[in-house]
Amino acid sequence: MSNKIGTLFGVSVGTGDPELITVKALRILQNTKIIAFPAGINGRLGVAQRIIESYLQPHQQILPLCFPYTFSEEMLNQAWHRVSLEVWEYLKNGEDVAFACEGDISFFSTFTYLALTVEKLYPDVKIERIAGVSSPMASASALGLPLTIQGEKLVVLPTVYSLKQFEEALDWGDTIVLMKVASVYDQVWQILAQRNLLDRAYVVEKATTDEEKVYHGLHDYPHLKLSYFSIVIVFVNRDNRK
C-alpha cells in the first residue's frame, strides 16, 4: 500500500451539453487516470458517461459504479458502502479518482453520498469538489427566461417528497423550481390549476441534451409522461407572456 492516499474529485459535468463542462472540470478529467461515474441502466451508457466520453483518452480507466434506484434506506446505505470500497481500492494505492456527476456535485447529487461515506470510512481521505451547471439554471436558459430578477425569492423543492411544501411555497415564493417531478406531475398540475398558475408554469425535460423538450404554459398538458430528468418552473408573480 502506498504511503500517499489519492484524492477523490467530485467533478460536475453539467446537464447534458458537453460544452457546459468548466475548464477546471475538463482539466481534472483529462489528467486523472481513474474516471468513475454512475453506471447506466440495462446496459446503456449513463448520463454522466455520455457527457464526458468524447473527452476521455484510451489510457484512462473507467469505473462505472452501480447505485440502486430505490427509496429503501437500507439498500441505499449498502450501495454507498459497496461503491466506497470500490473507490478506496484505488485511493489507498495513491491513485486519484475523478467522479463525473451530471449537473452540479452539491445539488441533489449522487456524489454527495459517495463522499460522505468515503469520509466516514476513511477520515484521512482528501476530497475536492468542482462546481458546475445545475438543472434549474440550464432549464431557465432553455426557456430563454431569467430564473430570478431583483428581489425575487427562489424556492427549490424535490417534489416527490414535498407536495405539501410546494403548496406552502406558492404563498411566499416568487420562482418555484420542482425537482424529481415526473412521478407526481399530475398532482402538481392540479395544484397549479387550482391556483390559476398554469400559464406561469413551464416544464423542461432533459435540458441541454439532444432530447430536450420545453413546454411553455401547461393548460394543455395535464398528463405529461415525463422522464426522470424533468423539472417544473413556476413564476408565481411574473407574467412572461409577450
Side-chain angles (χ1 to χ4, degrees), residues 83-105:
V83 297
S84 295
L85 294 180
E86 290 184 60
V87 170
W88 178 247
E89 286 301 308
Y90 297 94
L91 297 174
K92 74 179 183 180
N93 290 315
E95 289 278 12
D96 295 337
V97 177
F99 183 92
C101 190
E102 184 201 2
D104 177 86
I105 43 86

Side-chain angles (χ1 to χ4, degrees), residues 8-67:
L8 174 60
F9 293 97
V11 183
S12 305
V13 298
T15 52
D17 180 351
E19 292 186 337
L20 290 179
I21 295 178
T22 65
V23 174
K24 185 172 185 178
L26 183 57
R27 175 177 59 79
I28 291 171
L29 284 172
Q30 294 186 326
N31 288 280
T32 306
K33 180 181 176 182
I34 311 300
I35 306 296
F37 43 75
I41 301 174
N42 299 325
R44 293 174 294 181
L45 296 183
V47 176
Q49 184 179 7
R50 291 201 302 270
I51 293 171
I52 67 172
E53 61 179 343
S54 64
Y55 295 128
L56 301 183
Q57 304 299 317
H59 70 275
Q60 292 177 288
Q61 179 179 339
I62 63 172
L63 181 63
L65 299 174
C66 295
F67 301 98

